[in-house]
Amino acid sequence: MVNAPPAVDLVDLRKSFGDVVVLDGLTMRVPSGGVHALLGQNGAGKTTTVRILATLTRPDSGSARVAGHDVVRERRQVRRVISLAGQHAALDDGQTGLENLIMLARLAGLSGPAARARAAALLERFDLADAAGRQAVTYSGGMRRRLDLAASLVGAPSVIFLDEPTTGLDPRSRQGLWEVIGELAGAGVTVLLTTQYLEEADRLADRIMVLHHGGLVADGTAAELKGHFGAQRLELTWRDEASFAEAARRLGDRTTHREPARLALSVATDGSAPQVRGLLDEIDPDRHGVVRFTVREATLDDVFLTLTGRPVSPPREVTNV
């Protein structure tokens, strides 16, 4: 939409819990439309950012706007245009899928007939029509996440926040939810997705933002981030501990990844034959240390290693920051 405000606009956002600084001057802009992934280690500030944007937590300082509305001064206007699907499905297990959606539609101000129509349409859209009369407690994990996502769309939001939406799902259920998220973006909804599944971000996101120590350290498409921060990798496996240690000494801080247990390390390369040959001659001049080498394209894991100094955590939150 021409001249539409950004879906999310954060300027110098700060938030602490006691002595723990969670957001430290976060500045970030998310344009309207598409899927935008927010990545970061546990404690990087992803969930806190989402809670501030959803008006559930107040920032200590700085400004945060959603669809042009200030999250502190215009909370009611913000809540009219957003929806939040958190890490755990917010469902009444004693009610059926249909009853859950009708209840939420009524709370959103729809009349009885309109609420039933909206609930039926959402159940059909999320492939839950056959289970509409079953209690939510009987739903599988994937069905519960789809119902939770359907519930978040009762009010037809223009911006939806999905906080770790596929955590704990099996691959088939995750794939199904990916398809739904793609459909939402295709219908014009702005999706801000927090995730620790790098494949998920790579697959879904039009743009990826990386948080580290409460600030934004990277913003771009997956291809841009891989090209800028990842390059390509020359992965080397060594014959013994002595040759491994000597190679690590020669490379110094050019080493991008080390696995002493496997006697393996990696170094960035442009992938060209002359540079690969040069690197091999430099770090293994006697040609007796390297037993195997591979050149591969960068991944988002490499981006994480470059930006944070450590690999991405297992895909589950252990803190709420």
Side-chain angles (χ1 to χ4, degrees):
M1 185 181 297
V2 179
N3 297 325
V8 170
D9 194 7
L10 307 179
V11 178
D12 198 25
L13 200 66
R14 299 178 184 275
K15 181 65 181 179
S16 298
F17 295 96
D19 295 331
V20 179
V21 177
V22 179
L23 298 179
D24 190 13
L26 176 61
T27 296
M28 182 176 78
R29 174 170 287 195
V30 177
S32 296
V35 180
H36 308 268
L38 191 60
L39 305 182
Q41 292 285 339
N42 289 331
K46 303 185 303 296
T47 295
T48 296
T49 299
V50 169
R51 288 182 61 82
I52 288 173
L53 292 172
T55 75
L56 299 176
T57 300
R58 293 175 66 97
D60 295 334
S61 63
S63 67
R65 305 181 72 86
V66 177
H69 303 295
D70 187 276
V71 299
V72 175
R73 297 192 301 271
E74 301 173 286
R75 296 173 65 194
R76 181 170 298 181
Q77 292 93 323
V78 170
R79 290 178 177 181
R80 286 174 179 165
V81 299
I82 70 167
S83 188
L84 168 65
Q87 296 176 21
H88 306 285
L91 304 171
D92 184 338
D93 284 341
Q95 294 194 91
T96 66
L98 179 63
E99 289 168 343
N100 266 283
L101 296 188
I102 290 175
M103 175 187 68
L104 292 171
R106 293 288 284 159
L107 290 173
L110 275 64
S111 66
R116 292 190 68 85
R118 179 67 175 158
L122 287 169
L123 288 167
E124 186 70 33
R125 180 178 184 181
F126 286 89
D127 195 26
L128 291 170
D130 290 344
R134 286 169 45 191
Q135 288 184 318
V137 70
T138 69
Y139 283 20
S140 68
M143 294 170 68
R144 288 175 66 83
R145 293 306 282 161
R146 295 206 306 275
L147 182 60
D148 193 40
L149 193 52
S152 70
L153 294 174
V154 162
S158 61
V159 181
I160 182 168
F161 303 117
L162 303 180
D163 192 15
E164 307 281 355
T166 61
T167 296
L169 296 187
D170 61 78
R172 183 183 297 274
S173 297
R174 187 176 301 126
Q175 178 71 34
L177 205 56
W178 286 355
E179 293 174 1
V180 170
I181 292 170
E183 291 171 4
L184 291 176
V189 177
T190 303
V191 179
L192 181 61
L193 169 78
T194 76
T195 182
Q196 291 190 60
Y197 290 108
L198 298 186
E199 178 192 4
E200 187 164 86
D202 209 352
R203 167 78 176 271
L204 292 177
D206 299 295
R207 295 193 72 79
I208 295 171
M209 296 156 288
V210 183
L211 292 185
H212 188 52
H213 293 322
L216 185 68
V217 293
D219 182 2
T221 66
E224 289 170 346
L225 295 184
K226 291 174 189 176
H228 187 67
F229 296 103
Q232 296 188 59
R233 292 290 184 264
L234 173 62
E235 297 183 338
L236 303 150
T237 303
W238 298 86
R239 186 176 305 279
D240 51 45
E241 292 183 2
S243 57
F244 172 84
E246 176 61 17
R249 185 193 67 77
R250 289 175 180 270
L251 287 171
D253 59 9
R254 288 181 293 164
T255 303
T256 59
H257 186 56
R258 301 184 190 191
E259 291 186 61
R262 292 180 51 239
L263 299 179
L265 55 78
S266 301
V267 61
T269 175
D270 62 12
S272 67
Q275 191 190 52
V276 171
R277 289 193 189 101
L279 282 168
L280 288 170
D281 288 339
E282 175 190 354
I283 58 182
D284 188 22
D286 298 331
R287 302 189 178 185
H288 295 310
V290 175
V291 295
R292 187 181 307 108
F293 73 88
T294 304
V295 177
R296 65 172 177 80
E297 295 292 328
T299 67
L300 284 181
D301 289 85
D302 297 319
V303 173
F304 253 86
L305 283 166
T306 301
L307 291 171
T308 69
R310 57 183 188 176
V312 70
S313 306
R316 67 182 182 88
E317 286 283 1
V318 296
T319 67
N320 287 320
V321 298

